[in-house]
Amino acid sequence: MSELRMTPQTEAVLKEMLQKSTQPHYGLTLGQAVGLLSGTIHPILARLERAGILESFWEDPEEHAAAQPSRPRRRYYKFTTNGAEQARVAIADAYSRRSRRTSAKLAPSPSTGQ
């Protein structure tokens, strides 16, 4: 996995996907679930795909035509074979980094002796 920039938005997307980690997710629905607009969710999904955490596929054309032929086909995202575990590790690492930063801010300064 390449280095992943773990923003709060990326973390929210991964957490949402982990709730149903074996199911494919439609980008627009995923964005709505975490409160992100299309212009934010799709770049996040593309980064996660480049990082090897997600893979994408297009909805089957025959199923699409039978369901709602008037709407565009949908692109779905799902975890790669190791993607869910990579997501859990990335979230844990981000949490650990935040905790260390918070602890460092709260620690007394050595120069003040407090």
Side-chain angles (χ1 to χ4, degrees), residues 8 12-13 16 18 20 22 42 45 51 53 62 73 78 83-84 88 109:
V13 169
E16 180 67 24
L18 284 168
K20 296 180 181 176
T22 60
H42 287 99
L45 293 170
I53 293 175
E62 291 178 15
R73 279 179 39 197
K78 66 178 188 169
R88 288 182 189 95
S109 173

Side-chain angles (χ1 to χ4, degrees), residues 11-102:
E11 190 172 338
V13 169
L14 290 174
K15 285 179 178 179
E16 180 67 24
M17 290 185 73
L18 284 168
Q19 290 184 32
K20 296 180 181 176
S21 64
T22 60
Q23 295 180 4
H25 299 266
Y26 174 48
L28 184 61
T29 304
L30 190 57
Q32 290 169 343
V34 297
L36 298 175
L37 298 175
S38 178
T40 303
I41 187 72
H42 287 99
I44 290 170
L45 293 170
R47 269 196 315 275
L48 292 169
E49 192 169 15
R50 281 191 307 273
I53 293 175
L54 302 181
E55 57 190 12
S56 66
F57 62 94
W58 288 97
E59 163 178 58
D60 181 279
E62 291 178 15
E63 290 178 22
H64 167 259
Q68 289 181 303
S70 62
R71 71 161 166 76
R73 279 179 39 197
R74 293 178 175 178
R75 187 172 186 169
Y76 288 91
Y77 296 84
K78 66 178 188 169
F79 286 110
T80 59
T81 303
N82 297 320
E85 182 58 27
Q86 290 174 318
R88 288 182 189 95
V89 168
I91 291 168
D93 287 348
Y95 177 79
S96 178
R97 281 192 300 277
R98 279 194 307 272
S99 294
R100 284 194 304 270
R101 282 195 305 264
T102 301

Side-chain angles (χ1 to χ4, degrees), residues 104-114:
K105 288 179 184 177
L106 297 175
S109 173
S111 62
T112 61
Q114 296 177 355

